[in-house]
Amino acid sequence: MYVILTSKPGQFRTETVNGLRPLEAYDYVFYGQTKAHFVIAELLEERTRIRVIEDDTAIVNDVPSKFLEKFETTEQALRELRHLTSFGHMDTELRQTALPAS
């Protein structure tokens, strides 16, 4: 199974933890400004907790993966990302980026 991890610069970031294997990364660009960063990751362990860190307060939330939408393939996850980041004729782009070194 595959999940989409979301980070929003200046708001929160989602970190990959044990039980996740990051595969692809994308920036969501809206009228030239990066609004979000997405990582498609393989869910290796069913009971994985996803770490979400608030940027302004550094509060850490470990969210059970059961609350994330899951996809059978990376292609399905990418199709969902494209659907979520396109709005008619607005200037949006889903730009593939390199995964951070681990």
Side-chain angles (χ1 to χ4, degrees), residues 43-102:
L43 184 60
L44 302 171
E45 298 174 23
E46 183 79 22
R47 294 182 179 214
T48 299
R49 296 179 76 83
I50 311 304
R51 177 150 293 167
V52 180
I53 302 170
E54 302 289 330
D55 284 346
D56 56 348
T57 62
I59 292 174
V60 176
N61 293 296
D62 290 329
V63 180
S65 61
K66 70 180 181 180
F67 293 112
L68 297 179
E69 185 171 2
K70 294 172 188 66
F71 304 91
E72 293 289 327
T73 66
T74 57
E75 291 81 12
Q76 287 176 339
L78 182 55
R79 187 170 36 249
E80 179 66 11
L81 268 182
R82 286 186 177 132
H83 172 75
L84 291 172
T85 59
S86 60
F87 306 100
H89 298 290
M90 295 181 121
D91 181 12
T92 64
E93 180 183 0
L94 193 59
R95 184 181 303 152
Q96 189 164 14
T97 63
L99 288 168
S102 46

Side-chain angles (χ1 to χ4, degrees), residues 10-44:
Q11 295 180 26
F12 65 90
R13 69 183 184 281
T14 304
E15 294 182 347
T16 55
V17 295
N18 289 337
L20 289 175
R21 183 170 59 108
L23 301 172
E24 300 175 17
Y26 298 87
D27 282 341
Y28 167 58
V29 181
F30 182 79
Y31 285 93
Q33 184 175 22
T34 300
K35 294 292 189 177
H37 180 73
F38 299 104
V39 173
I40 297 174
E42 183 177 9
L43 184 60
L44 302 171

